[in-house]
Amino acid sequence: MPKILSEERVVEYSAEFKVRVVALTNQLKADTTTIANIIGLRPVMVYRWRQESREGKLVEKPSRRISMTKTAKL
């Protein structure tokens, strides 16, 4: 989820969110501009995140969260 950092409404998105948006644009055959509009982002941001992903700058940081769901062992 985005975080509002100041009164000027500067929004910071998590690396996990950015990685998911980039993955979504790679999976769907829709235009990046269309996807950005659906999500409520500016297309420039999505293009930048895609470029950062290609350059290896955008990497999802591992989470320390533990899944509490019960998984069946086969």
Side-chain angles (χ1 to χ4, degrees):
M1 295 304 298
K3 214 180 350 179
I4 299 175
L5 299 176
S6 68
E7 291 181 17
E8 290 85 28
R9 308 253 325 151
V10 176
V11 178
E12 180 180 297
Y13 294 93
S14 68
E16 179 183 13
F17 178 77
K18 293 176 185 180
V19 168
R20 288 185 182 190
V21 169
V22 170
L24 184 66
T25 61
N26 292 334
Q27 291 171 358
L28 300 177
K29 303 219 187 261
D31 197 14
T32 302
T33 305
T34 304
I35 294 171
N37 289 334
I38 290 170
I39 296 174
L41 299 171
R42 294 184 181 233
V44 167
M45 293 175 70
V46 178
Y47 284 118
R48 182 172 12 124
W49 295 346
R50 290 182 69 187
Q51 180 180 3
E52 289 174 0
S53 178
R54 283 192 304 269
E55 294 173 352
K57 295 178 182 177
L58 183 61
V59 180
E60 187 175 359
K61 297 172 185 156
S63 174
R64 295 185 64 182
R65 294 182 185 167
I66 299 172
S67 175
M68 298 303 285
T69 58
K70 187 175 182 179
T71 56
K73 294 184 179 182
L74 300 174

